[in-house]
Amino acid sequence: MDRASRKIEHIKHTLKLSSVESRPFDEIKFVHQSIPNINVDEVEINTTVGELNISSPIFINAMTGGGGEPTIRINRALARLAKKNDMGMAVGSQMAALKDRNERRSFEVVREENPNGVIISNLGSEATVEQAKAAVEMIDANALQIHLNVIQELVMPEGDRSFSGTLDRIKAIVEGLSVPVIIKEVGFGISKEVATKLANIGIKIIDIGGYGGTNFAKIENLRRDDTFDLFNDWGISTAASICEVKATHPFISVIGTGGIKTGLDIAKAISLGASAVGIAGLFLKQFHENNFEGLEATVEKLHFELKMVMTALGVKNIDDLRKVPIVISGETYHWLEQRGIT
Ligand code: FNR
């Protein structure tokens, strides 16, 4: 199966798989503050991720590109959404478009729709420095995401089986590129050990892509004729992974992706130390069901909910939200205790 058909299948299976039941932040509780001493209209939600300044703490995370008219439509709508709300947006993997010029259109429309916004390129860790430069140039990107997707590859019958040299390739890209490099997991989380390896080669932004949202082990399983469910419940949860990275590397900016669905989820990810969150599956579903209006309404609701939570906690900005007291229980508490993270 070629890359383009595989991408369309990923979209179909994401829409089929419901992660509504997953509540990745249930074990994180805010401590209620009865005297917040603040008005709703004083709350500001702009944020800084590394050197990227954006008006919203929500990134539209990497999904699609290549694959013709349907992906052009999705990417145009997402880019319009990003422009309207001054949100950061990552495109899907550009590797296919680097190999075949016909695949470029769905990426180029993103920059056309949003000439001045924060747009992020995306490639896998097999990329060379030349490919990284070409991907950034294709959409005049403000940063490059390199995704790590070992589990997805292992579950794919046609997936990669050799994973050596990743860190050296990433290091060469960091040194060869003039824009920041963001390392990104796709649903299995980043550990503190991996964060240390990345910090040592100069990575300053990590999208922890934790367990609890879109699950590529399950999605790839739906594409297989046989069942290979070994990795269906594998991974570091979104909440635990934010803590793994942030507690050990306070100067790395963290994007908390993986199962974010409400403004309360966003507030909790930030209270654990994230500078922003990334959302993919929820936007894809909203666009599928309600077109651009669905996307607009979703972002409006998320921003509204986040501001309400911040008001209840008495915090006026994202930096202060990062410092509010929280209580962590259950599996997340035990995970962090055993991992020596306090
Ligand atoms: C993705 N994701 C993804 N990530 C990436 O780095 N490059 C890519 O090309 C893709 N492609 C892709 C396609 C589809 C259909 C989906 C749903 C997702 C992963 C995505 O950016 C994100 O990390 C995960 O989906 C987890 O976030 P949610 O969906 O739980 O909000």
Side-chain angles (χ1 to χ4, degrees):
M1 175 175 288
D2 62 27
R3 271 174 201 265
S5 325
R6 198 164 73 212
K7 280 180 190 166
I8 298 293
E9 284 208 347
H10 284 159
I11 293 175
K12 279 192 199 146
H13 290 314
T14 304
L15 295 171
K16 217 183 297 168
L17 269 183
S18 168
S19 53
V20 174
E21 72 279 5
S22 106
R23 307 287 338 141
F25 294 98
D26 271 2
E27 292 169 345
I28 315 297
K29 294 264 192 277
F30 285 120
V31 180
H32 175 58
Q33 305 295 338
S34 304
I35 307 181
N37 196 31
I38 181 182
N39 308 323
V40 175
D41 60 12
E42 289 175 280
V43 173
E44 289 177 352
I45 58 169
N46 58 303
T47 189
T48 304
V49 179
E51 55 200 67
L52 307 171
N53 296 310
I54 30 212
S55 301
S56 166
I58 306 169
F59 277 85
I60 302 167
N61 224 339
M63 275 179 281
T64 72
E69 203 47 50
T71 40
I72 293 177
R73 260 190 69 234
I74 298 176
N75 275 355
R76 259 195 206 288
L78 293 173
R80 268 179 70 201
L81 182 74
K83 182 179 179 190
K84 191 167 174 206
N85 295 285
D86 187 28
M87 300 160 81
M89 171 179 171
V91 298
S93 175
Q94 292 167 266
M95 192 54 93
L98 291 177
K99 294 181 175 163
D100 177 357
R101 292 191 75 84
N102 297 324
E103 300 272 340
R104 280 177 162 227
R105 193 65 202 130
S106 61
F107 295 104
E108 290 164 350
V109 294
V110 171
R111 184 49 90 190
E112 272 171 33
E113 286 289 335
N114 189 8
N116 304 313
V118 171
I119 297 177
I120 303 170
S121 275
N122 187 290
L123 287 174
S125 58
E126 74 279 14
T128 63
V129 178
E130 282 63 40
Q131 287 170 329
K133 284 182 179 167
V136 167
E137 198 183 318
M138 190 189 302
I139 54 173
D140 189 17
N142 305 81
L144 168 73
Q145 281 183 342
I146 298 181
H147 63 256
L148 305 174
N149 65 343
V150 172
I151 297 296
Q152 186 185 2
E153 294 291 345
L154 289 176
V155 181
M156 278 197 282
E158 74 274 30
D160 281 350
R161 294 292 180 263
S162 47
F163 303 102
S164 40
T166 303
L167 213 54
D168 288 340
R169 282 192 300 277
I170 296 175
K171 183 168 185 268
I173 291 174
V174 171
E175 287 166 1
L177 229 58
S178 55
V179 296
V181 174
I182 303 170
I183 298 300
K184 167 177 190 293
E185 244 295 347
V186 297
F188 305 94
I190 296 276
S191 66
K192 62 180 180 181
E193 292 83 4
V194 168
T196 298
K197 288 180 186 171
L198 296 171
N200 288 343
I201 58 163
I203 293 296
K204 298 191 173 65
I205 309 173
I206 295 180
D207 180 334
I208 55 89
Y211 175 87
T214 300
N215 183 328
F216 272 94
K218 288 187 182 163
I219 289 176
E220 293 300 346
N221 248 308
L222 290 175
R223 295 180 53 239
R224 286 178 72 118
D225 299 330
D226 57 345
T227 304
F228 183 64
D229 54 10
L230 203 64
F231 294 113
N232 275 10
D233 296 314
W234 182 279
I236 309 168
S237 75
T238 302
S241 185
I242 295 171
C243 299
E244 289 254 345
V245 177
K246 208 59 201 177
T248 48
H249 298 280
F251 296 108
I252 286 184
S253 292
V254 166
I255 301 173
T257 299
I260 303 283
K261 298 215 171 52
T262 68
L264 187 56
D265 293 340
I266 298 172
K268 287 180 177 178
I270 292 169
S271 75
L272 292 172
S275 303
V277 299
I279 297 180
L282 177 67
F283 288 145
L284 192 65
K285 285 198 172 87
Q286 277 303 323
F287 182 68
H288 180 70
E289 287 163 16
N290 302 306
N291 299 309
F292 185 70
E293 290 66 38
L295 291 173
E296 263 184 316
T298 302
V299 169
E300 202 174 305
K301 183 163 173 282
L302 290 171
H303 283 168
F304 171 78
E305 290 172 348
L306 175 60
K307 285 180 183 171
M308 288 296 167
V309 173
M310 289 172 72
T311 304
L313 293 169
V315 291
K316 289 185 183 167
N317 57 53
I318 296 292
D319 269 347
D320 289 346
L321 179 56
R322 226 177 273 123
K323 298 172 204 141
V324 299
I326 49 172
V327 174
I328 303 176
S329 63
E331 205 180 308
T332 312
Y333 171 79
H334 289 295
W335 178 285
L336 297 177
E337 198 182 36
Q338 287 182 37
R339 296 280 291 152
I341 296 165
T342 48

